[in-house]
Amino acid sequence: MKSGIRFSVPLAASTNLPASPAGWSANGRFLAIQREHPSEEPRADLEVWDTFAGRRSLLVRDSWRAISFHPHRPQLICAMPGSRIVLWDLVTGKPLDTLALTADAELVSYAPDGVRFAVVYPREGNRSVTVHSFGRETPWVHRQHAAVIGWLEWHPAGRWIALADFGSSVQLMDPRTGETRELGRHKAEAVLARFSPDGHYLISAGWERELACWDLRSMRRVFTMGLDSFRLQFREDSAQCAVVTETEEKLLLYTFEQPTEHREFTEDLGPRLEQAVFSRDGRWLAAAAADYLAVWDCTMPGSGALTKEGAEGRLFFRPDGSELFASCRDDDAARWQITPGPADGGAPQLRRLPWPKPEGFTSLCVVSNEVAVTGVRGTQLLTADMSLADDRWVAMSQGISGASPDGRWLAMYRPYSDTLRVYRMPTVEEAARLMGAGGIRGFQFSPRGDLLAVAFRQQVKLWQTSTWKQARTVTNAIGLLFMPDGRGWWLTRDFRTAGLHDPATLELLLPLPVGMLPLAVSPDGRRLAVSVNRRHLQLWDLTRVRHRLRELQLDWEDPATSLPANPPP
C-alpha cells in the first residue's frame, strides 16, 4: 500500500488497450501498467512509469502478464514470449539479462535478497515452481505442483514462498529444499497470499470472497474475514491493510491489530493437551500432551525445551523451580533439572535425573519440599537426596495423587473411581473420604488450602478442608481452576466452553473464545495458560486483558479485583 504520491501531469497511454495496474516498486517510485490484448492468451503491453519524474521509463510490447520489480534496484523482470525471463533497466529502458525456460512463465516473483526469483510455468501437465538467478543455468530449487497456481509471494525475510492454488490450497514452500507445507484450504480456488511486512502473518483469499489470516508462528488459521473480497494489500508497517470489495467496488482500510495480550507457543505437543503448571516463582511453564512434554522460560521470548519422555504426564515443580517431575499414565515417572537457556532467547535445557522407582509404582507428587511416591507398599516421602527406605512406607490406598499448596493435605483416587481419599500431612493419617458420581476427572486445592474442588463427569463439588463438609456443587461443569486471590473461578463447562466466574454468584465475568480451555494460572494471578482445541498452548496476560476490557467499557465492576492503573510493560 503506497500513499502520498500525487501526479501533476497525466500519464500518456501508449495505446488504447484496456489498462490494469500491475504493481508498484518497493520505494513507490515506479508504477507498472499492463495494456491487455483482446485475446485468450495472457499477453499485454507493459508500461512502467517513473512517478517521481512523471515520465514513462519502459514500454515492452507483446509481453506476458508476469512481472516483478527488483526489491532494491530500478529494475524489473518480465516474462516474454519464447519462454524467456528478461531483466530490464528502468533508468535506461534496456534489457540487462535473459533467462531461458522450457515453457512460458505464468508467474514470477523476486526474492527479498534481489538475487533469486521464483517462476511458475506449465510442465508435463503440472505446474513447475522453480527458484532461479541470472547467470546460473540450473535452478536452485525445482518443485512439481499438481494444481494451477494463482499466486506466489516471498516471505519478507526469504524464509518461504507462499503458494495459492486453484485446488483451494494455501501452502508454504521452502526455497532452499522445495519442501512444502499446507496451511489450509479455502472454500473455492485460492487466488491470493500476502505476507504482512513483519513476516508474522499471511493473508490468503479465495474466489468465495473470504480472507483467511494465518499465524506463521503457530502455523494455523487465526480468523476468517467475510469481506466480499479476494484483493488485499498491507501497509509497510503492517498496521493497516486495504481491501477492495467486489460487489460494491469499494476500497476499505482496516487496522490490523496484532495480539499484545497473549503469547502463542509454536511447539506442537500433539493432541490431548490437558496438563500445564507454573513454577512457584512464575518463571517456568511446563505442559504435556500426547506426544511431548515442554518447558518454557516465561521471562524470555524464545522456544521451549521438548522431550517425548513425560508425555501426558501430570507435572510438578520443586518449590525453587530447579526440578520438574512428570507422573505418567503408564505407571512411570521422570525427573529433570532445568537450566536457563542463553541470553539471546534460546530454549532452556532439560537434564534427565535418576529417581528411585519403587515396586508397583503408581504415582508421585510434590508435597512442600518433599516428593510423595506411591507404590504397592504404600506411600513414602522422599527428601532432597531422593532415596527410598524400607522403614518409611506408610500403608494407604494407591492411585493418582496431589497435594495442597501449603503441604497440609495429600489426596489420592484410583482411576475411574468416584471416591477421593484425603490424608493429613506429614503424619499421613486419613482425614476424609469424599464421594461423587460418574468417576473423578481431577481435583485441585484452593491456593489458601481452605477448599478442595473435585471434578466429576458432569459436576464439580467443593469441600471445606477445615470440617470436610461439602460447601457447594457446580452443575454442568467438568473442571474448576482457582484464581490465586480466591475471587475468581475458571470453570470448564465442556471440551469447548470455559470462562471466569464470580465464586459467589457464578456469574460469567470473562468468557474464553470457543475451543480455549484454562489449564493453569501463574501464582501472581497475572497469566493464564490455555489450550486451543486441546492442541496448541497460549499464555494470556490477564492484566493486559483486563485493561483492554476497561478501555472498551466491557470490564465488570468489582473494586476488590481492581488492577494497577497501567498494565505492566
Side-chain angles (χ1 to χ4, degrees):
M1 186 190 306
K2 304 297 175 184
S3 61
I5 297 177
R6 297 187 179 184
F7 301 107
S8 57
V9 295
L11 304 178
S14 62
T15 178
N16 62 352
L17 293 174
S20 61
W24 289 91
S25 62
N27 61 2
R29 175 180 176 182
F30 296 100
L31 170 66
I33 298 292
Q34 289 178 327
R35 302 281 179 173
E36 299 181 5
H37 290 189
S39 65
E40 295 182 356
E41 294 183 344
R43 299 171 69 175
D45 291 351
L46 173 66
E47 300 173 354
V48 181
W49 295 87
D50 185 337
T51 61
F52 291 1
R55 64 177 181 83
R56 189 177 65 212
S57 60
L58 180 66
L59 174 62
V60 180
R61 299 285 188 184
D62 198 26
S63 71
W64 294 100
R65 296 176 185 170
I67 70 164
S68 181
F69 284 99
H70 192 284
H72 316 302
R73 300 172 184 169
Q75 297 174 359
L76 172 145
I77 53 175
C78 177
M80 301 291 293
S83 304
R84 298 175 298 144
I85 301 292
V86 177
L87 174 65
W88 295 90
D89 188 321
L90 298 181
V91 175
T92 64
K94 296 181 179 180
L96 297 175
D97 212 334
T98 300
L99 175 72
L101 301 174
T102 59
D104 292 324
E106 298 173 335
L107 298 168
V108 294
S109 180
Y110 248 122
D113 60 15
V115 175
R116 300 169 295 165
F117 53 91
V119 181
V120 174
Y121 55 89
R123 181 177 180 181
E124 299 175 356
N126 295 321
R127 291 304 187 271
S128 179
V129 185
T130 55
V131 177
H132 296 271
S133 58
F134 288 109
R136 180 184 172 92
E137 295 183 359
T138 58
W140 293 98
V141 167
H142 173 265
R143 174 83 179 189
Q144 288 287 92
H145 198 84
V148 174
I149 297 174
W151 193 277
L152 83 160
E153 182 165 301
W154 285 80
H155 184 267
R159 186 175 179 184
W160 298 295
I161 300 174
L163 307 174
D165 68 33
F166 282 14
S168 76
S169 176
V170 180
Q171 300 186 23
L172 297 177
M173 187 181 99
D174 188 327
R176 300 165 300 177
T177 65
E179 295 180 356
T180 59
R181 173 174 182 165
E182 183 178 86
L183 289 175
R185 291 179 176 270
H186 279 268
K187 298 173 183 176
E189 292 88 339
V191 293
L192 178 78
R194 286 205 181 275
F195 290 100
S196 60
D198 58 17
H200 294 159
Y201 296 91
L202 178 75
I203 301 289
S204 63
W207 274 348
E208 78 279 7
R209 300 176 182 176
E210 285 187 352
L211 300 166
C213 180
W214 310 89
D215 188 329
L216 300 179
R217 290 161 291 192
S218 62
M219 292 295 178
R220 68 182 189 88
R221 188 194 305 240
V222 288
F223 60 86
T224 301
M225 300 163 283
L227 299 180
D228 185 32
S229 175
F230 49 78
R231 290 183 285 175
L232 175 143
Q233 177 67 52
F234 274 100
R235 200 171 74 183
E236 290 179 337
D237 60 0
S238 300
Q240 286 187 329
C241 57
V243 175
V244 178
T245 64
E246 294 300 308
T247 304
E248 299 181 0
E249 297 183 347
K250 292 182 178 179
L251 176 65
L252 303 177
L253 295 180
Y254 288 89
T255 300
F256 190 75
E257 296 187 359
Q258 301 191 28
T260 59
E261 290 82 16
H262 79 271
R263 168 185 177 186
E264 176 134 5
F265 299 105
T266 59
E267 292 81 3
D268 185 357
L269 308 185
R272 301 191 298 279
L273 176 56
E274 300 172 349
Q275 302 289 335
V277 64
F278 286 92
S279 60
R280 185 171 294 183
D281 61 3
R283 176 173 186 177
W284 305 109
L285 172 63
D291 298 335
Y292 291 95
L293 175 149
V295 178
W296 294 272
D297 187 340
C298 296
T299 66
M300 304 292 288
S303 58
L306 270 71
T307 175
K308 290 188 175 182
E309 299 172 312
E312 289 196 286
R314 294 180 304 109
L315 309 175
F316 306 92
F317 282 101
R318 281 199 185 274
D320 61 2
S322 62
E323 294 182 10
L324 174 68
F325 296 84
S327 184
C328 305
R329 292 184 176 181
D330 55 357
D331 294 337
D332 199 0
R335 173 192 177 202
W336 296 271
Q337 181 184 59
I338 305 172
T339 304
D344 61 0
Q349 302 297 312
L350 295 178
R351 183 171 69 89
R352 185 72 182 267
L353 297 176
W355 73 281
K357 181 178 179 180
E359 178 185 358
F361 169 80
T362 57
S363 70
L364 64 74
C365 68
V366 173
V367 185
S368 296
N369 293 320
E370 299 174 310
V371 178
V373 178
T374 301
V376 294
R377 299 178 62 183
T379 296
Q380 184 172 152
L381 296 178
L382 307 182
T383 55
D385 61 2
M386 294 292 290
S387 61
L388 288 171
D390 290 338
D391 60 349
R392 293 207 302 262
W393 290 108
V394 177
M396 57 186 297
S397 64
Q398 300 178 56
I400 299 172
S401 61
S404 62
D406 56 11
R408 294 176 56 204
W409 309 105
L410 175 68
M412 189 171 300
Y413 71 95
R414 292 181 181 273
Y416 312 109
S417 71
D418 55 7
T419 302
L420 181 79
R421 289 176 168 84
V422 184
Y423 300 86
R424 182 177 289 103
M425 303 300 288
T427 58
V428 198
E429 300 175 83
E430 185 171 317
R433 293 191 183 188
L434 312 177
M435 300 184 64
I440 297 174
R441 295 180 50 84
F443 64 91
Q444 188 195 31
F445 286 92
S446 63
R448 293 195 297 266
D450 58 333
L451 289 174
L452 171 59
V454 184
F456 296 91
R457 185 170 298 173
Q458 294 294 334
Q459 61 183 10
V460 177
K461 292 189 174 185
L462 294 100
W463 281 270
Q464 296 175 342
T465 59
S466 59
T467 62
W468 294 113
K469 292 182 179 180
Q470 186 172 327
R472 192 165 192 172
T473 298
V474 181
T475 58
N476 299 319
I478 62 174
L480 185 150
L481 187 63
F482 292 100
M483 284 291 288
D485 59 8
R487 298 190 178 110
W489 291 350
W490 292 98
L491 288 179
T492 299
R493 295 296 186 178
D494 52 45
F495 290 114
R496 293 181 58 79
T497 310
L500 180 66
H501 292 254
D502 185 305
T505 64
L506 290 186
E507 176 189 359
L508 179 60
L509 303 176
L510 178 62
L512 289 178
V514 175
M516 289 189 180
L517 302 180
L519 299 182
V521 182
S522 63
D524 60 7
R526 290 182 174 270
R527 288 172 292 182
L528 173 71
V530 301
S531 67
V532 183
N533 297 323
R534 303 178 72 198
R535 182 97 193 197
H536 303 281
L537 187 69
Q538 290 184 358
L539 183 61
W540 284 81
D541 187 323
L542 295 178
T543 304
R544 288 189 176 275
V545 169
R546 188 73 179 272
H547 279 277
R548 180 61 172 156
L549 290 174
R550 287 182 176 176
E551 290 175 357
L552 299 173
Q553 297 183 349
L554 296 175
D555 190 29
W556 58 94
E557 295 297 331
D558 184 359
T561 59
S562 61
L563 297 174
N566 297 300

